[in-house]
Amino acid sequence: MLTMARLRVRLTFPPALIQEPIVYRLVKDFDIVINIRRADVKADHGWIALELEGDERALERGVKWLKDKGVQVDPIERDVIVP
Amino acid sequence: MEKLNGLRCRECGRHYQAAPLHVCEFCFGPLEVDYRYDALKGVVTRESIAAGPPSMWRYKELLPIDGDVAVGHHVGFTPLIRAQNLADELGCREIWVKNDSVCHPTWSFKDRVVAVAVTKAREFGFDTVACASTGNLANSVAAHAAEGRLKSYIFIPADLEQGKVLATLVYNPTLVAVHGTYDEVNRLCSEIADKYRWAFVNVNFRPYYSEGSKSYGFEIVEQLGWRTPGHIIVPCAGGSLITKIWKAIKELKTLGLIDGGLGTKMHAAQALGCGPIVTMIKNDTDVLVPVRPNTIAKSLAIGNPADGYYAYKVAKESGGSGEHATDEEIVEGMLLLARTEGIFTETAGGVTVAAAKKLIERGVIPRDESIVICITGNGLKTPDSLQDRLDAHVKIKPSLSAFDRALADLKSQTS
Ligand SMILES: Cc1ncc(COP(=O)(O)O)c(C=O)c1O
Ligand SMILES: [Zn+2]
């Protein structure tokens, strides 16, 4: 059974990944709907604030794939745990 | 008097009604409280402030509170100390220490932000407050919730040392220890804040919560006799405090409460092992590169600070700078402040003192200008950082002759 879920995240890309079609693969390979809200991608670094929507398990797999690739995946608030 | 316009997106400028909201629905930018300064001008005066209580609430009209103060009636209005011994040691004319290591009731500046968040939570009719924290914030939320008779949930990573937990547990919150990596715990807390109708102080209440830090800046200016200092050195974690001190100075200017220009350069202080904001300032780039914290300054260990970009902008706009401190320099900073001024601050204060010293030595801060060093937490909370760094100088048998000999030895060593 499909359980739809939404996730608001901020992706941070290290220099090596800037050129790669990461978001495209996320949409195509994991069947995730994305909605980009704000981004700043420069030659050597970049981040994207976006909403992910899809089957809960697909989202989890997508997030894991991103992390394995070296993309930092944070909630939109970034550090929620405060010292 | 209607002083609030609700909330406003810092990125796209969209307006929202005052509500427990923190991100803009359209651009995911952070929301900020929007005041009607035109209505406040002439109403908030030096005299009206001086007639208020000796606490942060003397600035209540400039805080996002509509009704009565619910908790933390004695927070703030901490001493601003003329630190002449420290100034002499660093070869400077005028150094002041703003001492929130004695902030009531939990000994850090976090009481300012939490008192506003919890009061606002009551205004919005919430019966539960929450936070995810390993230290100062947890202490403060649990204490203020107890005072306000609200339920509180405090989330911590399960591997947190027992010593750190006690100063929170004593207030009887529901403490939830989460097993998992930092990232997993962090994401879970974001999801909990989204799902439950709780006042998660630094998430859905963040726009209100962070405004509390302005009081630290208001007090500096008032305690200097409505004068702005040449330099303020601020310890940064999420980057909110430095941003709000700057906002406070600008508000006082807008309201006509300070003469002359803004005149203050804002300097960020961070540990070398977790210094993404200072790195931005040093490299003069608005790109924040997140880091994995590795420093003894646990209270400043935020690797991906939400307000990092704004903190960088404040340093730049004010003509200030930033400086890192190594773990060694942090401990030396703590010891220097204790030895010269009799103030025992935690590692965050060590970072600030160390950064100030380096900026002065590098000539970034001129020795003849007025300097305020922000001390934001108490050393008694984290004595472990000084473990093995200090020992008793003289050990003797219980006889007068033993003491006479030891004293003679000491005198010959120091002469
Ligand atoms: C003692 C102390 N000083 C300074 C800070 C930095 O504040 P901010 O996160 O607003 O930059 C913190 C908190 O995170 C803290 O606990
Ligand atoms: Zn917006």
Side-chain angles (χ1 to χ4, degrees):
Chain A
M1 198 190 69
L2 290 187
T3 329
M4 295 305 274
R6 279 186 333 144
L7 218 52
R8 295 188 297 189
V9 294
R10 180 180 173 107
L11 309 182
T12 309
F13 297 87
L17 292 177
I18 294 280
Q19 309 273 359
E20 285 196 37
I22 301 267
V23 173
Y24 170 78
R25 293 266 320 263
L26 191 65
V27 174
K28 244 184 110 60
D29 298 358
F30 297 91
D31 199 20
I32 291 172
V33 178
I34 64 149
N35 191 339
I36 296 182
R37 301 306 181 91
R38 216 151 52 93
D40 185 10
V41 182
K42 300 209 165 75
D44 59 344
H45 214 87
W47 58 265
I48 304 178
L50 76 175
E51 191 163 58
L52 308 175
E53 203 174 343
D55 169 50
E56 202 175 321
R57 271 167 315 174
L59 280 187
E60 288 311 323
R61 273 187 284 122
V63 167
K64 181 169 183 315
W65 175 77
L66 285 168
K67 287 184 176 170
D68 289 345
K69 291 248 15 149
V71 178
Q72 183 164 339
V73 184
D74 292 306
I76 199 72
E77 298 88 7
R78 289 184 262 175
D79 281 305
V80 175
I81 306 175
V82 170
Chain B
M1 177 180 54
E2 224 8 281
K3 65 178 184 189
L4 297 179
N5 269 336
L7 302 169
R8 184 172 173 278
C9 173
R10 292 195 72 158
E11 292 301 322
C12 75
R14 268 195 180 75
H15 271 279
Y16 293 82
Q17 284 198 328
L21 280 178
H22 65 299
V23 273
C24 173
E25 286 300 320
F26 291 86
C27 77
F28 286 1
L31 299 180
E32 183 172 42
V33 177
D34 193 23
Y35 295 86
R36 289 187 46 206
Y37 295 114
D38 53 341
L40 291 165
K41 196 162 178 172
V43 176
V44 178
T45 61
R46 291 180 185 181
E47 293 72 30
S48 74
I49 290 167
S55 71
M56 66 182 279
W57 302 112
R58 62 207 279 111
Y59 310 100
K60 181 166 163 248
E61 293 308 334
L62 302 174
L63 296 171
I65 301 298
D66 293 314
D68 292 335
V69 175
V71 294
H73 293 269
H74 305 283
V75 177
F77 216 55
T78 53
L80 180 75
I81 297 150
R82 179 79 189 247
Q84 198 56 49
N85 299 337
L86 181 62
D88 290 346
E89 180 98 12
L90 298 181
C92 293
R93 185 173 58 84
E94 186 183 344
I95 294 184
W96 301 84
V97 168
K98 176 63 176 166
N99 189 11
D100 263 22
S101 74
V102 292
C103 195
H104 186 85
T106 69
W107 316 112
S108 89
F109 91 99
K110 291 285 188 212
D111 288 329
R112 299 174 184 272
V113 284
V114 171
V116 172
V118 174
T119 293
K120 200 67 192 174
R122 286 263 294 252
E123 265 181 26
F124 281 132
F126 285 62
D127 65 6
T128 305
V129 295
C131 76
S133 168
T134 52
N136 286 326
L137 181 62
N139 301 164
S140 190
V141 168
H144 285 94
E147 186 198 352
R149 293 177 166 269
L150 293 156
K151 290 190 273 285
S152 65
Y153 286 81
I154 312 285
F155 296 87
I156 58 165
D159 56 7
L160 194 65
E161 317 93 81
Q162 189 63 22
K164 286 216 162 184
V165 180
L166 290 179
T168 297
L169 265 183
V170 69
Y171 303 107
N172 197 33
T174 303
L175 193 79
V176 184
V178 186
H179 288 279
T181 64
Y182 181 91
D183 282 357
E184 287 166 341
V185 180
N186 202 57
R187 179 172 156 199
L188 172 69
C189 291
S190 163
E191 289 173 345
I192 290 169
D194 193 43
K195 175 165 182 179
Y196 291 85
R197 198 178 177 278
W198 293 346
F200 219 106
V201 297
N202 60 322
V203 183
N204 56 341
F205 273 66
R206 190 172 177 85
Y208 306 100
Y209 158 93
S210 57
E211 283 288 291
S213 286
K214 288 193 311 192
S215 63
Y216 193 94
F218 294 142
E219 290 174 19
I220 290 173
V221 175
E222 183 185 357
Q223 288 169 316
L224 282 174
W226 299 104
R227 176 170 69 94
T228 54
H231 304 268
I232 303 182
I233 302 118
V234 190
C236 298
S240 175
L241 177 62
I242 190 172
T243 312
K244 295 295 178 173
I245 293 176
W246 184 235
K247 182 177 179 187
I249 293 176
K250 284 182 154 180
E251 286 186 347
L252 294 179
K253 180 73 195 161
T254 302
L255 296 172
L257 301 186
I258 43 181
D259 312 317
L262 294 171
T264 301
K265 294 187 166 81
M266 304 290 295
H267 306 273
Q270 289 197 297
L272 185 61
C274 183
I277 295 171
V278 169
T279 301
M280 292 170 86
I281 297 169
K282 284 190 169 175
N283 296 343
D284 195 13
T285 170
D286 64 5
V287 176
L288 184 141
V289 180
V291 300
R292 290 268 158 204
N294 178 18
T295 168
I296 57 164
K298 301 282 183 244
S299 59
L300 300 181
I302 292 191
N304 194 4
D307 289 312
Y309 169 76
Y310 303 111
Y312 157 79
K313 295 279 273 195
V314 164
K316 203 169 162 63
E317 182 187 322
S318 68
S321 65
E323 188 54 276
H324 290 119
T326 64
D327 283 358
E328 186 65 28
E329 289 166 340
I330 293 168
V331 171
E332 275 163 20
M334 293 168 70
L335 299 180
L336 176 62
L337 187 67
R339 175 164 60 79
T340 55
E341 298 296 337
I343 295 170
F344 182 17
T345 183
E346 59 152 284
T347 49
V351 170
T352 317
V353 172
K357 182 166 182 274
K358 289 169 92 171
L359 290 169
I360 291 162
E361 282 165 358
R362 278 174 45 208
V364 176
I365 297 181
R367 294 178 191 272
D368 60 345
E369 296 183 4
S370 57
I371 303 165
V372 173
I373 294 176
C374 298
I375 296 302
T376 49
N378 192 300
L380 289 171
K381 287 194 192 183
T382 55
D384 42 309
S385 61
L386 297 179
Q387 201 74 54
D388 304 325
R389 298 291 311 229
L390 308 164
D391 54 16
H393 286 284
V394 185
K395 286 180 184 137
I396 56 167
K397 296 230 158 60
S399 79
L400 198 51
S401 62
F403 178 68
D404 291 344
R405 270 196 308 278
L407 195 61
D409 280 353
L410 271 179
K411 283 192 174 153
S412 68
Q413 276 167 30
T414 53
S415 66

